[in-house]
């Protein structure tokens, strides 16, 4: 504090008052709302104004000649007085807070300003004391501080993520859960990922599920978030009357990754059951189709023989021979067997053409095959395109198709050196189409079989579950989606299957279904 003594000389009073009458100063002191006292150098009270009486309850006659310590509650630490007196003896003013006691014994907090009064010789002659009751102000400040501390403790202890974002997108409050997530994201602000960056980033919303993928190859994490706009009055002096407000967005997010995993597991399990059912029906269709195919050959020969026998009879003008009758009966019986088999072919279930994200379909196909992949010790190198446009597709058929291609790749890796087994799955956008590549490091397909593998019932495996209908089904599914299918051998060994499907606006799926059918 600088020198702040009050020089009480006639000259200086005139200079300060610029010709104002001296009694005006006395009137001002008398009528001041602040409790004012003037003491001698030992702090014995010489003068008190009416406000002193209002604040302390003491009349002037009660305190005149008494030390100011009369007001002391005796709970103010001695160091405070020591500091006050040190300032005064060095002719510096001092201000601080003391616990005082009124005449009626009630305590109050006094914000005291004391200053030395200096004469023309530079000597301190008196002390001037001014104080006001700040008990209520202190109570409010304490309450505010307590509230703030309580809120901070609750926010810090909360298991959910809490952050406050200002108008410029700066995150001005982060609780420990938020900071932990931020660390896991490599210092990326989670609030920016959860709120977005556009104009919608400043609006309230509730219970929005958000998936965060950018975790350096780690599995995605899910959060349910809500944002609430909160307003704060500007604390700056220049907006005291203008009432400016600042807007913040309070973000609260709860991690639901575990719940999502459980839901996903349940979904994959039901998909697995669905695919297994589809596969059983498919196998039945393939078996019956194979039986029809097998019957068709000899039946064609019998029909041809019957035709030859019929022509021979005609040339010789013979009546119907027993051979002809036998052939006729055999052909009839064969045709009847084929129509019975055709009638027992399980019907394909009609499914709607819906907007799909191929990454999700691939993820489902992988989810269904996970157990097999784990059992075979195969780790998939899964490289999905981060963003894929929607395609219109038959979800079940596409899922079954990709599962078939993954199964084929896993079959091809069977018997390979475990260290050389690799299976790579890629999705990308190519020439405006969504393309998927499935590559394996298996033995590949002999060049002469590269086209034959798409023929129904062609298989290089003997016995077992292999009916040779898998790639025929894949080809049919790609055709149904007006897509492109390519199968090649890789230079480094193994096969590369390449499926491209056209992109269609989601709202056009219905129209597109009519075009495809
Ligand atoms: P004290 O024995 O009075 O003083 C404690 C310490 O203060 C001493 O050890 C000494 O280091 C120092 N000290 C005391 N008197 C002097 C002195 N004359 N010169 C140098 N050092 C000294 N106190 C309140 O509690 N409430 C008030 O509202 C209040 N208003 C005051 C207004 C004025 C204008 C002045 C000058 C003082 C005021 N005081 C007030 C301080 C008061 O005079 C006492 O110093 C204080 O109350 C402590 O009293 P005490 O009896 O506990 O100790």
């Amino acid at each position: 504090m600088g020198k702040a003594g009050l020089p009480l000389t006639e000259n200086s009073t005139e200079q300060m008052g610029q010709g104002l009458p001296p009694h005006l100063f006395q009137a001002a002191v008398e009528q001041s709302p602040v409790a004012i006292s003037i003491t001698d150098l030992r702090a014995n009270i010489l003068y008190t104004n009416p406000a002193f009486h209002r604040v302390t309850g003491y009349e002037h006659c009660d305190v005149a000649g008494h030390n100011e310590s009369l007001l002391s509650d005796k709970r103010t630490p001695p160091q405070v007085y020591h500091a006050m007196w040190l300032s005064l003896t060095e002719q510096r003013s001092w201000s601080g807070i003391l616990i005082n006691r009124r005449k009626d014994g009630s305590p109050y907090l006094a914000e005291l300003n004391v200053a030395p009064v200096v004469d023309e010789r530079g000597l301190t002659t008196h002390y001037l004391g001014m104080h006001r009751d700040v008990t209520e102000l202190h109570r409010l400040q304490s309450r505010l501080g307590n509230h703030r501390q309580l809120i901070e403790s609750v926010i810090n202890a909360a298991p959910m993520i809490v952050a406050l974002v200002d108008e410029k997108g700066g995150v001005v409050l982060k609780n420990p859960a938020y900071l932990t997530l931020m660390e896991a994201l490599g210092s990326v602000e989670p609030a920016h990922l959860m709120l977005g960056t556009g104009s919608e980033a400043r609006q309230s919303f509730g219970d929005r599920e958000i998936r965060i993928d950018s975790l350096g190859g780690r599995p995605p994490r899910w959060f349910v978030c809500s944002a609430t706009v909160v307003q704060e009055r500007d604390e700056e002096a220049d907006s005291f009357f203008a009432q400016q407000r600042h807007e913040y967005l309070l973000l609260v997010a709860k991690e639901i990754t575990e719940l999502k995993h459980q839901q996903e597991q349940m979904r994959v399990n039901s998909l697995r059951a669905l695919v297994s059912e589809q596969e059983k029906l498919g196998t039945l269709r393939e078996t019956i189709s194979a039986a029809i195919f097998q019957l068709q050959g000899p039946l064609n020969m019998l029909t041809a023989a019957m035709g030859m026998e019929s022509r021979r009879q005609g040339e010789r003008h013979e009546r119907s021979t027993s051979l002809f009758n036998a052939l006729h009966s055999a052909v009839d019986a064969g045709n009847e067997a084929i129509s019975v088999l055709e009638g027992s072919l399980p019907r394909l279930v009609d499914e709607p053409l819906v907007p799909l994200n191929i990454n999700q379909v691939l993820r489902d196909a992988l989810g269904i095959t996970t157990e097999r992949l784990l059992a075979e010790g195969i780790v998939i190198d899964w490289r999905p395109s981060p963003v894929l446009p929607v395609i219109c597709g038959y979800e079940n058929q596409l899922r079954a198709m990709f599962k078939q291609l993954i199964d084929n790749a896993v079959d091809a890796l069977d018997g390979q050196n475990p260290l050389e087994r690799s299976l790579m799955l890629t999705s990308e956008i190519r020439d405006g189409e969504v393309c998927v590549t499935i590559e394996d490091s298996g033995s590949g397909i002999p060049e002469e079989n590269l086209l034959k593998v798409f023929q129904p019932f062609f298989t290089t495996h003997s016995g077992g579950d292999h009916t040779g209908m898998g790639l025929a089904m894949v080809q049919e599914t790609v055709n149904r989606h007006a897509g492109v299918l390519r199968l090649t051998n890789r230079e480094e060994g193994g096969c590369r299957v390449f499926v491209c499907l056209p992109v269609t606006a989601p709202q056009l799926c219905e129209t597109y279904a009519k075009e495809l059918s």
Side-chain angles (χ1 to χ4, degrees):
M1 282 179 231
K3 291 258 181 189
L6 300 174
L8 258 192
T9 63
E10 279 184 21
N11 283 346
S12 63
T13 312
E14 276 166 22
Q15 280 162 16
M16 281 167 59
Q18 293 174 340
L20 292 174
H23 66 84
L24 186 61
F25 292 99
Q26 187 169 357
V29 171
E30 285 280 315
Q31 291 166 33
S32 166
V34 179
I36 295 177
S37 57
I38 297 173
T39 73
D40 64 15
L41 295 184
R42 289 198 303 275
N44 292 324
I45 299 170
L46 304 174
Y47 166 82
T48 58
N49 73 346
F52 186 93
H53 163 64
R54 283 198 296 276
V55 174
T56 66
Y58 287 109
E59 298 284 353
H60 179 64
C61 57
D62 296 330
V63 293
H66 288 277
N67 194 285
E68 292 271 10
S69 64
L70 174 96
L71 295 174
S72 173
D73 177 79
K74 309 296 178 202
R75 279 181 287 178
T76 304
Q79 304 87 294
V80 177
Y81 297 123
H82 195 77
M84 180 186 88
W85 280 111
L86 189 69
S87 289
L88 288 179
T89 49
E90 290 175 356
Q91 283 194 345
R92 285 185 291 116
S93 64
W94 177 91
S95 60
I97 294 188
L98 312 171
I99 308 176
N100 271 0
R101 192 169 280 274
R102 292 188 192 88
K103 187 179 178 184
D104 64 9
S106 58
Y108 68 96
L109 284 177
E111 187 186 65
L112 174 68
N113 281 281
V114 282
V117 182
V118 182
D119 69 9
E120 67 272 15
R121 291 165 300 156
L123 298 173
T124 305
T125 58
H126 299 82
Y127 293 123
L128 171 70
M130 293 179 287
H131 81 265
R132 61 187 186 118
D133 182 348
V134 291
T135 315
E136 193 53 33
L137 185 69
H138 171 74
R139 190 175 291 140
L140 288 174
Q141 279 174 344
S142 302
R143 196 176 294 166
L144 198 69
N146 289 344
H147 277 176
R148 181 185 285 258
Q149 210 171 6
L150 189 74
I151 291 169
E152 274 177 12
S153 313
V154 170
I155 287 176
N156 285 345
M160 61 270 280
I161 286 155
V162 182
L164 197 62
V165 182
D166 69 15
E167 284 145 332
K168 292 182 187 139
V171 187
V172 293
L173 184 149
K174 311 170 181 189
N175 76 338
Y178 182 95
L179 289 168
T180 309
L181 176 63
M182 188 166 156
E183 202 183 325
L185 292 175
S187 296
V188 174
E189 290 282 1
H192 295 164
L193 300 175
M194 291 172 177
L195 296 173
T197 46
S199 57
E200 79 286 352
R202 303 293 327 151
Q203 286 162 14
S204 297
F205 62 82
D207 293 345
R208 182 186 290 172
E209 278 191 10
I210 286 164
R211 176 189 157 128
I212 298 186
D213 275 312
S214 50
L215 295 166
R218 272 169 283 159
R221 289 171 72 174
W222 288 87
F223 298 86
V224 58
C225 309
S226 61
T228 313
V229 174
V230 285
Q231 290 186 334
E232 184 202 52
R233 280 181 67 163
D234 193 337
E235 294 167 351
E236 296 305 317
D238 51 10
S239 66
F240 185 76
F241 295 106
Q243 288 230 351
Q244 281 187 24
R245 285 177 188 278
H246 292 294
E247 231 178 52
Y248 294 88
L249 211 55
L250 175 68
L251 170 73
V252 179
K254 190 174 177 331
E255 179 150 20
I256 52 163
T257 307
E258 190 57 36
L259 182 76
K260 274 279 165 190
H261 277 166
Q262 287 168 6
Q263 284 177 349
E264 185 62 10
Q265 199 53 50
M266 279 162 62
R267 199 178 69 84
V268 168
N269 284 345
S270 61
L271 281 181
R272 194 174 285 139
L274 181 78
V275 169
S276 157
E277 189 61 27
Q278 277 179 340
E279 280 178 346
K280 274 186 204 149
L281 283 177
T283 310
L284 193 60
R285 273 185 69 82
E286 287 161 17
T287 313
I288 295 173
S289 302
I292 295 171
F293 185 74
Q294 296 297 328
L295 266 177
Q296 207 78 58
L299 194 61
N300 287 346
M301 287 167 72
L302 283 174
T303 309
M306 194 175 80
M308 283 163 63
E309 180 60 15
S310 167
R311 274 195 300 281
R312 195 189 64 76
Q313 283 172 11
E315 283 164 8
R316 297 192 183 179
H317 306 289
E318 284 179 6
R319 293 181 58 200
S320 211
T321 63
S322 53
L323 175 61
F324 178 83
N325 289 340
L327 286 170
H328 201 281
S329 304
V331 169
D332 281 353
N335 280 330
E336 201 180 319
I338 284 178
S339 56
V340 168
L341 285 173
E342 280 174 344
S344 59
L345 267 175
R347 286 174 61 80
L348 284 174
V349 183
D350 278 345
E351 64 168 312
L353 202 68
V354 289
L356 293 173
N357 181 318
I358 280 298
N359 278 346
Q360 186 57 48
V361 178
L362 287 168
R363 230 176 252 124
D364 288 347
L366 281 173
I368 297 165
T369 26
T370 304
E371 278 172 21
R372 185 170 178 215
L373 293 169
L374 288 175
E376 308 258 348
I378 297 170
V379 179
I380 293 232
D381 184 3
W382 166 219
R383 299 178 187 186
S385 163
V387 185
L388 274 187
V390 160
I391 67 145
C392 292
Y394 300 102
E395 190 175 4
N396 290 337
Q397 290 175 36
L398 285 175
R399 196 187 304 113
M401 176 185 88
F402 286 121
K403 180 182 177 293
Q404 177 67 53
L405 290 172
I406 295 168
D407 279 343
N408 286 358
V410 175
D411 286 344
L413 292 174
D414 193 22
Q416 294 288 113
N417 178 346
L419 295 175
E420 287 167 10
R421 290 177 183 182
S422 81
L423 182 45
M424 194 163 85
L425 197 58
T426 316
S427 66
E428 61 191 321
I429 311 162
R430 224 189 247 194
D431 299 332
E433 291 194 316
V434 172
C435 297
V436 175
T437 313
I438 300 170
E439 293 178 71
D440 64 70
S441 61
S443 49
I445 297 175
E447 288 298 318
E448 66 273 17
N449 288 344
L450 273 176
L451 286 177
K452 285 190 200 158
V453 288
F454 293 103
Q455 290 171 7
F457 308 113
F458 179 87
T459 177
T460 53
H461 300 272
S462 52
D465 295 337
H466 301 94
T467 56
M469 288 298 286
L471 282 177
M473 178 275 279
V474 169
Q475 178 72 74
E476 193 187 324
T477 304
V478 173
N479 291 348
R480 284 201 76 189
H481 288 83
V484 174
L485 171 68
R486 256 202 334 264
L487 173 65
T488 55
N489 280 320
R490 302 191 320 156
E491 274 176 22
E492 58 272 49
C495 278
R496 178 181 293 117
V497 183
F498 186 71
V499 176
C500 275
L501 301 168
V503 174
T504 326
Q507 64 274 21
L508 296 180
C509 278
E510 242 173 82
T511 325
Y512 189 56
K514 284 179 198 139
E515 276 176 34
L516 286 181
S517 62

